Amino acid sequence: MIKVVLLAGGFGTRLGEETTVKPKPMVEIGGLPMLCHIMNIYSAHGFNEFIVALGYKAEVVKQYFLNYMYLQSDFTLHMGKSSIDVMKRRPLDWTVHLVDTGLHSMTGGRMHRLRDRLAGGTFMMTYGDGVSDIDLKRLLDFHRSHGKLATLTLVRPRARFGTVDLAGDQVVRFKEKVETESWINGGFFVFEPGVLKYVSRDEEVLESDVFTRLAEDGELMAYRHKGFWECMDTMRDKIYLESLWASGEAPWKRWPNGRECGP
């Protein structure tokens, strides 16, 4: 069983008031925490064991999953007997490990703190704020084909501003926030246990420390995803994702109704 690590411990300061009371992965899109959107993406591809690396406001995530059965089910309270009858709806065949990896640990440090849980075989990892229509089984096949220790997914983000095509001083075309030509790190990693030897401290950053060492040793490969990808980094991003969800055409939704985490 391949484990999926979800990095859910950061402060998420650029989301302002949203993250004063909850960690960024618990900010909701369409009434569902971003964390659940991401877990649903993995589950739709058959990956159902999760390790959630907690830090900032870890108690919010723990309370959500502790109360999940009641939040997503009908139940009857027998007040005199102090008992509850739960009428389960859409039970999830998931295993969710909630692990506090430190308030100030960096992304590499969180992986280091999980090393004993990840030493048994290939594992996957991603950030707690990005959604995509990525084919995770194809990603895993690509990783297995090259035999290296690590695979990261590259994506092309939306441009923040529109672009203008000119003929002299005349505007001939206006393009609203087109996709950029640059490739960036989009998360959705696949790792072999050998990656764990590349990190040893809480202060180490996955992107600048661990990946740099892996690249120097020729152990880091890139999977290019040309489809949808979006990161909820700011309130502008949240509003955009909310609009996609409200349209009923959210590109990252690939799971059948009745099997997902959420209402």
Side-chain angles (χ1 to χ4, degrees):
M1 176 74 72
I2 290 181
K3 297 175 181 177
V4 179
V5 178
L6 302 173
L7 296 170
F11 288 91
T13 53
R14 280 180 283 191
L15 274 172
E17 292 184 4
E18 286 277 357
T19 52
T20 60
V21 296
K22 65 182 71 170
K24 191 201 293 192
M26 294 305 291
V27 173
E28 295 183 352
I29 299 296
L32 184 65
M34 175 61 84
L35 187 64
C36 283
H37 284 278
I38 298 166
M39 296 168 85
N40 286 334
I41 293 169
Y42 277 94
S43 182
H45 291 85
F47 304 107
N48 294 317
E49 183 170 0
F50 302 97
I51 302 175
V52 186
L54 303 173
Y56 175 66
K57 294 197 177 293
E59 70 278 3
V60 176
V61 185
K62 291 179 178 180
Q63 288 169 0
Y64 181 84
F65 283 100
L66 280 172
N67 294 321
Y68 181 84
M69 179 175 64
Y70 299 111
L71 292 171
Q72 307 303 336
S73 300
D74 296 329
F75 56 87
T76 300
L77 291 170
H78 300 283
M79 307 291 282
K81 297 187 294 183
S82 298
S83 64
I84 302 174
D85 293 334
V86 178
M87 290 146 289
K88 292 184 179 179
R89 296 187 301 180
R90 305 196 302 268
L92 291 171
D93 187 20
W94 291 5
T95 300
V96 182
H97 310 275
L98 300 167
V99 184
D100 194 330
T101 53
L103 182 60
H104 298 288
S105 297
M106 303 304 286
T107 47
R110 296 192 191 282
M111 182 169 69
H112 175 64
R113 288 203 178 198
L114 295 170
R115 60 193 180 280
D116 292 340
R117 296 172 179 266
L118 301 174
T122 305
F123 62 96
M124 306 177 93
M125 177 183 289
T126 197
Y127 304 113
D129 61 0
V131 289
S132 176
D133 61 357
I134 185 171
D135 186 330
L136 292 167
K137 289 187 176 179
R138 183 173 293 181
L139 167 64
L140 181 59
D141 288 343
F142 171 81
H143 173 78
R144 287 172 168 164
S145 72
H146 59 62
K148 303 295 185 180
L149 291 179
T151 299
L152 65 83
T153 296
L154 297 182
V155 297
R156 285 180 169 148
R158 288 184 308 125
R160 184 174 178 183
F161 303 102
T163 61
V164 177
D165 289 342
L166 297 172
D169 292 329
Q170 181 179 351
V171 176
V172 295
R173 185 182 297 110
F174 185 86
K175 302 175 184 176
E176 178 64 16
K177 297 179 183 178
V178 296
E179 186 180 81
T180 70
E181 293 299 318
S182 301
W183 292 97
I184 67 167
N185 169 21
F188 297 99
F189 312 116
V190 187
F191 296 132
E192 296 302 318
V195 165
L196 299 171
K197 70 182 181 182
Y198 284 82
V199 58
S200 59
R201 297 179 296 111
D202 285 353
E203 296 77 15
E204 291 182 295
V205 179
L206 186 65
E207 301 79 9
S208 59
D209 296 319
V210 182
F211 285 165
T212 296
R213 296 174 195 138
L214 285 164
E216 289 172 349
D217 288 351
E219 292 290 346
L220 180 63
M221 300 293 286
Y223 176 81
R224 293 177 176 86
H225 174 61
K226 298 179 180 180
F228 174 85
W229 175 89
E230 188 70 27
C231 175
M232 186 184 65
D233 194 42
T234 66
M235 282 303 297
R236 179 184 300 204
D237 301 327
K238 180 183 186 302
I239 292 168
Y240 175 64
L241 290 170
E242 286 275 16
S243 70
L244 291 177
W245 188 263
S247 74
E249 300 295 332
W252 68 91
K253 188 178 188 299
R254 291 293 183 268
W255 54 90
N257 290 331
R259 290 186 177 179
E260 71 273 18
C261 170

